[in-house]
Amino acid sequence: MDLSYSAEEQAFRTEVRTWLGDHLTGDFAALKGLGGPGRDHEAHDERLAWNQHLAAHGWTALGWPAEHGGRGLSLMQQVIFHEEYARADAPARVNHLGEELLGPTLIAFGTPEQQQRFLPPIVAATELWCQGYSEPGAGSDLANVQTRARLETGPGGEQWVVDGQKVWTSLAHLSQWCFVLARTEPGSQRHEGLSFLLVPLDQEGVEVRPIEQITGGSEFNEVFLTGARTDAAMVVGEPGRGWGVAMGLLGFERGVSTLGQQVGFARELETVVERARANGSYDDPVLRDRLAQATVELEVMRVNALRGLSAVTAGSDSAAGGGAASIAKLVWGGWHRRLGELAMQVAGADGLTARGAAYDLDPHQRLFLFSRADTIYGGSDEVQRTILAERVLGLPREPRPTTPTTSTQGAR
Ligand SMILES: Cc1cc2nc3c(=O)[nH]c(=O)nc-3n(C[C@H](O)[C@H](O)[C@H](O)COP(=O)(O)OP(=O)(O)OC[C@H]3O[C@@H](n4cnc5c(N)ncnc54)[C@H](O)[C@@H]3O)c2cc1C
């Protein structure tokens, strides 16, 4: 395992750091620290402008091949970018679902026409995407998707007509397009007969209803599709074979941004320690022990992520084969949720009241409330444990509703 950086990588780190230092100034400086999980409502338009500024200077689609408008950077360079981005406290990008999930999926599975139509506006951050997988009866059990789509010929030519309901659709209220998993073969069961469709949201057949969360924000939505239309060519992969595309997309989830995410976690932990020092709770040896434990666990996560990265760059797929993605999700989801609980313990009575108006929460209160979701989205803890038990440890399979299926679903 080689955890050192080459001279070229160090130079790249300096380039990123310098660029961010030079550009995260003026109006953009006010955006520092804004956005991200549980805070997507913050300064959306301004963060979109920042995202477009990044794009104009070649800092989007870093890992995509150059022929698709990307930078073709190595895995390690992408990690360095995300680390420096988090270290600079740069605002959360608004286009991550397009850039990190749909873009790579279109590169892998899309037609040349789909790639030419959709990839440039993802790179430029001028068209935003959301993920329409989950339904009221299809979360962990994603193969239970009930949304239906049929081909019809009308005045607009041959089109898919989509009916159903999606739920927990993050950022649908701010997106122009949604990638939707729908059943296109009547009578089909489970993961057979599903298609991966690209559906424009600005049309009569689509209603987006925000869901208000315990944090007071509404970053996700219910999406009602009632005769929603999209052109026949807007299917990715073969009609009826959408399951493979949908699973391929989930494989791209949370790839190289993990180490950047951990830099963000370290910053959050620092603020909790600072608060403990300021309000005297740091003198409590039990609390101090928990803060130390959180610090140690974060360091273990960092080294583990580097180990996974090192294995991938060395060409060994043992990290993936060893269930690294499921282990990482289980560990960071639980760690971050416990950090929220620790922050409230440090805050003491102050954690119980809002600062002024209802929902005027401080960052630690928001962290506590939103981090409850960390062990659910991106595949719940129970689902991750089942994956590890069955695929890595070879334990007997859990009983399935009907035919066996896989479900690791749930991006943000
Ligand atoms: C913040 C947030 C953002 C999200 N964004 C999106 C999005 O943009 N697009 C999208 O499509 N979805 C999104 N989701 C939905 C997410 O994918 C689902 O919440 C997740 O897949 C779990 O599904 P569910 O909520 O239906 O819970 P369920 O699947 O009903 O699970 C309920 C509980 O039962 C447990 N459980 C379920 N099955 C099993 C089993 N076989 N064995 C043991 N335990 C089990 C689960 O672990 C969980 O604790 C988001 C969710 C959150 C919280």
Side-chain angles (χ1 to χ4, degrees):
M1 176 169 70
D2 180 8
L3 299 182
S4 58
Y5 296 103
S6 68
E8 196 192 334
E9 285 160 355
Q10 296 285 17
F12 180 70
R13 186 180 290 286
T14 307
E15 182 191 341
V16 177
R17 192 173 292 186
T18 307
W19 189 88
L20 287 169
D22 290 347
H23 289 257
L24 210 44
T25 51
D27 288 347
F28 289 141
L31 302 179
K32 282 191 183 182
L34 296 184
R39 304 174 61 184
D40 271 317
H41 57 286
E42 293 175 345
H44 175 268
D45 293 350
E46 294 82 354
R47 287 191 295 121
L48 176 61
W50 164 251
N51 211 147
Q52 291 171 348
H53 185 74
L54 286 171
H57 290 81
W59 293 113
T60 54
L62 300 181
W64 297 14
E67 79 247 38
H68 292 300
R71 287 276 296 265
L73 296 185
S74 71
L75 214 50
M76 195 52 103
Q77 286 174 313
Q78 294 172 65
V79 167
I80 289 170
F81 174 83
H82 286 291
E83 283 186 338
E84 289 303 319
Y85 195 84
R87 204 161 273 138
D89 214 10
R93 294 162 304 144
V94 297
N95 190 27
H96 54 283
L97 290 172
E99 205 180 316
E100 286 164 22
L101 298 186
L102 185 69
T105 304
L106 288 179
I107 290 170
F109 300 97
T111 61
E113 292 74 24
Q114 288 167 347
Q115 293 169 349
Q116 280 153 21
R117 162 64 187 84
F118 292 113
L119 295 180
I122 293 178
V123 176
T126 49
E127 225 165 46
L128 303 183
W129 285 84
C130 60
Q131 177 183 25
Y133 278 20
S134 300
E135 299 183 1
S140 305
D141 186 19
L142 180 61
N144 195 36
V145 158
Q146 299 298 320
T147 293
R148 297 176 316 279
R150 61 184 189 282
L151 274 175
E152 258 185 24
T153 306
E158 200 179 24
Q159 291 189 312
W160 294 102
V161 181
V162 193
D163 289 286
Q165 183 198 344
K166 295 294 173 180
V167 73
W168 319 126
T169 321
S170 298
L171 308 176
H173 57 305
L174 299 168
S175 303
Q176 288 77 47
W177 285 81
C178 187
F179 44 93
V180 169
L181 197 57
R183 198 162 290 287
T184 49
E185 291 177 7
S188 61
Q189 296 285 320
R190 311 296 299 159
H191 51 289
E192 306 290 342
L194 296 167
S195 296
F196 189 103
L197 303 176
L198 309 175
V199 179
L201 291 174
D202 185 15
Q203 59 167 308
E204 224 172 73
V206 176
E207 188 192 348
V208 176
R209 289 191 205 155
I211 299 173
E212 188 167 341
Q213 290 164 254
I214 197 171
T215 51
S218 304
E219 70 172 47
F220 52 32
N221 305 268
E222 291 177 289
V223 177
F224 294 88
L225 303 153
T226 315
R229 288 178 175 267
T230 194
D231 289 345
M234 295 295 149
V235 58
V236 182
E238 273 181 60
R241 298 286 179 89
W243 184 257
V245 181
M247 290 300 111
L249 179 138
L250 291 180
F252 297 120
E253 211 178 329
R254 299 225 171 250
V256 291
S257 51
T258 308
L259 279 156
Q261 178 196 39
Q262 289 174 13
V263 175
F265 285 174
R267 296 176 67 85
E268 280 181 329
L269 175 57
E270 260 170 43
T271 67
V272 176
V273 174
E274 277 162 19
R275 188 170 189 165
R277 286 189 201 277
N279 73 8
S281 56
Y282 197 74
D283 296 336
D284 175 348
V286 175
L287 202 66
R288 215 164 52 232
D289 188 56
R290 287 190 64 192
L291 290 167
Q293 184 68 23
T295 309
V296 169
E297 286 173 6
L298 185 59
E299 185 60 13
V300 171
M301 266 196 273
R302 193 180 73 84
V303 175
N304 197 42
L306 282 171
R307 182 173 61 172
L309 192 67
S310 181
V312 174
T313 44
S316 146
D317 61 359
S318 61
S326 290
I327 293 170
K329 173 71 211 324
L330 263 176
V331 172
W332 78 251
W335 182 89
H336 200 228
R337 206 172 76 163
R338 286 194 302 280
L339 181 68
E341 291 160 5
L342 186 52
M344 286 299 91
Q345 205 181 345
V346 165
D350 279 351
L352 297 174
T353 52
R355 287 180 293 189
Y359 290 128
D360 185 9
L361 305 176
D362 73 31
H364 290 151
Q365 289 169 318
R366 204 175 295 112
L367 164 68
F368 169 67
L369 293 174
F370 190 81
S371 60
R372 312 308 295 173
D374 287 337
T375 52
I376 300 172
Y377 71 79
S380 73
D381 277 13
E382 290 78 6
V383 166
Q384 303 296 355
R385 286 198 185 93
T386 300
I387 292 170
L388 288 171
E390 295 179 356
R391 296 201 212 146
V392 181
L393 301 176
L395 296 177
R397 286 178 70 80
E398 286 279 316
R400 296 296 197 271
T402 50
T403 49
T405 184
T406 320
S407 62
T408 56
Q409 113 91 353
R412 296 195 48 261

